[in-house]
Amino acid sequence: MSAVHVIGDVHGQLEKLRDLLRGAELIRKDKDQNETWSGGESILWLMGDLVDHGPHGIGAVELAMRLQQQAAWAGGRVEVLLGNHDVLLLTAHRFGTRPIPGSEKSFLDHWQESGGQLADLERITPDHVRWLSSLPAMAREGEHLLAHADALLYTRYGRSIAQVNQAMTRLLQGDDAGNWFQLLDEFNEHQAFVDARTGADRAEPFLRHFGGRQLVHGHTPITKMTGQPPEAVREPLLYAGGQCLNVDPGMYLGGP
């Protein structure tokens, strides 16, 4: 059985991403000093939010794109989920200074206020846009349901993983600014399953809706759920009666 590796929100922390991949023996440098896939048939999941906050978002995108192709050649897989900050960068690129519906702020303003880095906007290419716009919002890996956000928003886009992914892709290929901003607004939801009284009761129907025995997600840094200093976060957080696993280490906040 192939090993499965999961990395939470990268947020432009390219060197930390490289360190994690090297430590897991999933990449090595070739004769030209470029990182190449060395994980064989291993499986790697990146949980979305490759960009924003940190300095090298497009660098993280390019590494993921390259490793995805190389892993496929080796019989492995590199999979990447769509995160809200990936959508934010796409809105800044697509709509720029166009006002957000019902607001005086532009999409560019909103992206920058949310941690957008101008270097990413300057470097983004049509290939990056096509790749980011086609990322799945949800997936299954064995008994695990994978989604970027600990939020119920996915249920509003379909009754199955396939329906949600198709709906998101259609939205990102369209030019309806209102739909784009509605999705971003829905991504403001966090910690849908964390309440000690109701969290497990909300997680159970969510898992039944999409399938899987455990939800694996990022989106909410573990430090914001536990109160730990970011640098003290060294392992995922299991909660909601074992039904949810948070893998967002808070890299951009100082997490290792």
Side-chain angles (χ1 to χ4, degrees):
M1 184 175 178
S2 300
V4 180
H5 304 260
V6 179
I7 296 178
D9 307 30
V10 174
H11 280 306
Q13 301 294 323
L14 182 57
E15 291 309 313
K16 289 184 179 181
L17 175 59
R18 286 170 170 156
D19 286 345
L20 287 167
L21 295 173
R22 281 193 291 263
E25 299 183 344
L26 294 177
I27 64 169
R28 63 168 176 248
K29 288 192 175 181
D30 62 17
K31 58 183 175 60
D32 297 318
Q33 297 301 297
N34 295 314
E35 292 94 355
T36 60
W37 179 257
S38 60
E41 296 181 355
S42 297
I43 299 165
L44 168 65
W45 279 96
L46 299 174
M47 298 297 292
D49 279 5
L50 296 181
V51 302
D52 292 351
H53 292 301
H56 302 296
I58 292 298
V61 168
E62 291 175 342
L63 177 59
M65 292 174 69
R66 186 167 70 249
L67 295 179
Q68 192 171 64
Q69 187 175 62
Q70 293 171 351
W73 292 339
R77 285 192 286 125
V78 172
E79 308 281 5
V80 186
L81 293 179
L82 179 72
N84 57 302
H85 282 270
D86 309 312
V87 178
L88 274 163
L89 175 59
L90 290 171
T91 64
H93 172 74
R94 180 179 287 264
F95 300 116
T97 56
R98 186 189 300 188
I100 292 169
S103 172
E104 295 181 359
K105 290 184 180 179
S106 71
F107 282 93
L108 184 64
D109 294 334
H110 183 54
W111 169 69
Q112 289 186 281
E113 290 171 1
S114 303
Q117 304 294 302
L118 287 175
D120 287 342
L121 194 58
E122 290 166 356
R123 288 189 59 195
I124 197 168
T125 69
D127 283 344
H128 298 143
V129 170
R130 280 191 293 271
W131 185 79
L132 288 167
S133 299
S134 67
L135 293 178
M138 308 183 82
R140 278 275 302 277
E141 187 67 56
E143 292 296 309
H144 296 88
L145 174 66
L146 281 69
H148 170 69
D150 47 339
L152 296 172
L153 71 94
Y154 301 98
T155 62
R156 296 189 279 278
Y157 287 86
R159 296 194 56 81
S160 68
I161 292 171
Q163 287 181 2
V164 172
N165 289 340
Q166 289 166 4
M168 294 274 188
T169 299
R170 282 196 303 270
L171 188 156
L172 297 182
Q173 290 175 350
D175 199 39
D176 189 320
N179 287 342
W180 282 72
F181 189 68
Q182 180 180 333
L183 175 60
L184 289 175
D185 189 54
E186 290 172 333
F187 264 123
N188 285 327
E189 182 185 6
H190 289 257
Q191 303 189 45
F193 313 108
V194 76
D195 185 271
R197 292 177 296 108
T198 63
D201 290 338
R202 297 179 87 186
E204 193 273 332
F206 186 83
L207 287 163
R208 189 170 62 248
H209 186 105
F210 292 114
R213 297 181 62 185
Q214 186 180 74
L215 170 67
V216 181
H217 70 83
H219 193 49
T220 302
I222 291 170
T223 180
K224 294 187 177 182
M225 291 175 64
T226 65
Q228 295 170 273
E231 60 273 13
V233 176
R234 298 281 172 170
E235 59 186 17
L237 177 67
L238 185 65
Y239 69 101
Q243 295 179 98
C244 297
L245 188 70
N246 185 348
V247 296
D248 182 354
M251 287 191 202
Y252 80 96
L253 297 170

